[in-house]
Amino acid sequence: MFKQKTIGFFEVAGFRWMVPMVKLAFWEDPKEQSRLLGNLIGLPLLAISLFLFLWAAGAAQVDTSLGKLPGPSAVLDAGKTLYAEHKEERAKEAAFYERQQKRNAKKLERNPDANIKWRNYTGNATFIDQIFTSLKTVFTGFVVASLIAVPIGIACGLSRGLNTALSPIIQILKPVSPLAWLPIVTMVVSAVYISDDPLLAKSFVNSAITVTLCCMWPTLINTAVGVGNIDEDLINVGRVIRLGWFTRVRKIAIPAALPMIFTGLRISLGIGWMVLIAAEMLAQNPGLGKFVWDEFQNGSSQSLARIMFAVVTIGFIGFVLDWLMLTLQKMISHEDVKS
């Protein structure tokens, strides 16, 4: 009983890859335990070791304008340097605010009615800062896209006429590259978003809208397909018992189409993350894309290793975002979802 509860916990929490390890802990047959242990740990370690070996051996043979292509150890050292730079910058920020606080305290001590000014720290954005900037931007664009795509997708799934009317527009706009959207978005935002004290930076708005425009289509299409494929008997039952339109959507359409909706959301989030990096590089908006481009333009001996560490970080974050969506789907739908 305890074994099943433990396995169920890891499945619901999204740690499907850990389920075999949990089973291994409860396994009684030593031979079967050894075989399972080799498959779970030995094979992945062998694949990773082979990949790192080929990377290190191949990198040593490649000469670029910035020097030798960095291997795994050089990329790891670059990551440590980036984190050290972040800690140093945060220490400078703390010292800046501490000096400002002491200076203002002395002013108030001399004159309690003195006009006190607080200035924001304007130091350089570190690699860690760029990560959080990109995450904030992609989540903003993704949430806005979802709020638009899910309702339209539900409406298209329930209405064949609306689906037929919107299908050409969706199919034309869906394949448009973010590189084509970005100049249009930039010009429109510059013309419309005019304020002496804007709540959000224009660069953030440009990137978020570009992400929204590019990542809403998978969610919209999957939602429409999921709702459109609901068993007609379910819809007819809702009509027979005279459920209102919103009640039918909430009680019948959304629960039945939830797996397809989440599939669209996972695809949209992955696309949004890729689009954001490209948009930040092209428009030089703050974020990981800008960090990669700045390092490329910098051209120092360490730039290539720092770029490669950023690439690994981008890939790892993309993996974590997909895992979060998969976990959320399992928690909400309570279904056995394959990763």
Side-chain angles (χ1 to χ4, degrees):
M1 186 66 178
F2 177 73
K3 173 183 175 181
Q4 295 300 325
K5 287 184 177 180
T6 305
I7 292 173
F9 168 78
F10 281 97
E11 287 181 340
V12 171
F15 294 96
R16 175 180 293 275
W17 58 275
M18 291 188 66
V19 170
M21 298 183 191
V22 176
K23 292 181 179 178
L24 179 66
F26 291 99
W27 214 280
E28 296 179 358
D29 187 353
K31 291 183 179 180
E32 189 66 22
Q33 195 175 35
S34 300
R35 185 188 66 81
L36 188 60
L37 183 64
N39 290 338
L40 288 175
I41 299 177
L43 292 179
L45 285 179
L46 179 63
I48 293 172
S49 300
L50 180 61
F51 170 76
L52 293 177
F53 172 77
L54 293 175
W55 178 6
Q61 309 302 319
V62 179
D63 283 313
T64 71
S65 58
L66 300 179
K68 290 281 187 182
L69 191 69
S73 60
V75 172
L76 181 61
D77 290 338
K80 293 178 181 178
T81 301
L82 289 170
Y83 182 68
E85 290 175 357
H86 173 74
K87 291 174 62 178
E88 182 180 352
E89 191 65 27
R90 293 289 73 81
K92 290 181 181 178
E93 181 182 12
F96 171 82
Y97 285 117
E98 184 179 356
R99 289 194 302 268
Q100 187 172 213
Q101 186 175 11
K102 289 180 179 179
R103 184 167 59 250
N104 289 336
K106 288 181 180 179
K107 281 185 179 182
L108 290 174
E109 187 177 342
R110 290 193 301 266
N111 180 12
D113 298 327
N115 186 19
I116 299 300
K117 292 183 179 180
W118 288 95
R119 304 182 187 278
N120 294 324
Y121 183 72
T122 56
N124 296 325
T126 66
F127 180 72
I128 306 298
D129 296 332
Q130 304 283 33
I131 290 176
F132 283 106
T133 298
S134 291
L135 286 174
K136 181 175 70 173
T137 307
V138 77
F139 272 117
T140 301
F142 171 72
V143 169
V144 173
S146 301
L147 292 176
I148 296 172
V150 172
I152 295 177
I154 292 173
C156 289
L158 293 175
S159 172
R160 292 183 180 179
L162 182 62
N163 186 49
T164 303
L166 294 182
S167 182
I169 300 174
I170 294 171
Q171 295 304 324
I172 290 172
L173 295 179
K174 179 170 64 74
V176 176
S177 167
L179 305 184
W181 279 120
L182 189 58
I184 300 173
V185 171
T186 302
M187 288 187 289
V188 171
V189 171
S190 298
V192 175
Y193 191 59
I194 302 173
S195 174
D196 296 331
D197 186 21
L199 179 63
L200 300 171
K202 284 186 178 181
S203 58
F204 172 81
V205 176
N206 290 335
S207 297
I209 293 177
T210 303
V211 170
T212 298
L213 289 172
C214 293
C215 79
M216 64 185 293
W217 311 115
T219 299
L220 196 158
I221 293 171
N222 276 269
T223 301
V225 171
V227 174
N229 289 334
I230 295 174
D231 192 342
E232 285 291 336
D233 291 339
L234 291 175
I235 302 297
N236 292 333
V237 167
R239 292 195 182 107
V240 168
I241 62 178
R242 297 182 179 180
L243 292 178
W245 190 85
F246 286 103
T247 305
R248 291 204 303 271
V249 169
R250 185 167 57 89
K251 295 289 187 179
I252 299 176
I254 293 180
L258 204 57
M260 286 293 290
I261 293 174
F262 266 100
T263 299
L265 290 172
R266 288 178 64 190
I267 297 173
S268 290
L269 186 55
I271 291 175
W273 183 241
M274 290 188 293
V275 163
L276 175 64
I277 302 302
E280 289 172 346
M281 291 182 67
L282 181 65
Q284 287 293 281
N285 293 334
L288 284 172
K290 184 178 186 302
F291 173 85
V292 171
W293 186 254
D294 287 345
E295 287 295 333
F296 175 72
Q297 294 292 332
N298 183 27
S300 69
S301 58
Q302 300 297 321
S303 290
L304 199 52
R306 293 159 75 95
I307 290 173
M308 293 184 71
F309 184 81
V311 169
V312 173
T313 302
I314 291 168
F316 180 76
I317 291 174
F319 163 75
V320 171
L321 293 177
D322 185 72
W323 170 78
L324 288 174
M325 288 301 302
L326 180 64
T327 303
L328 182 62
Q329 178 178 358
K330 290 179 178 180
M331 294 174 63
I332 293 177
S333 64
H334 301 291
E335 292 185 1
D336 187 23
V337 183
K338 295 182 179 181
S339 57

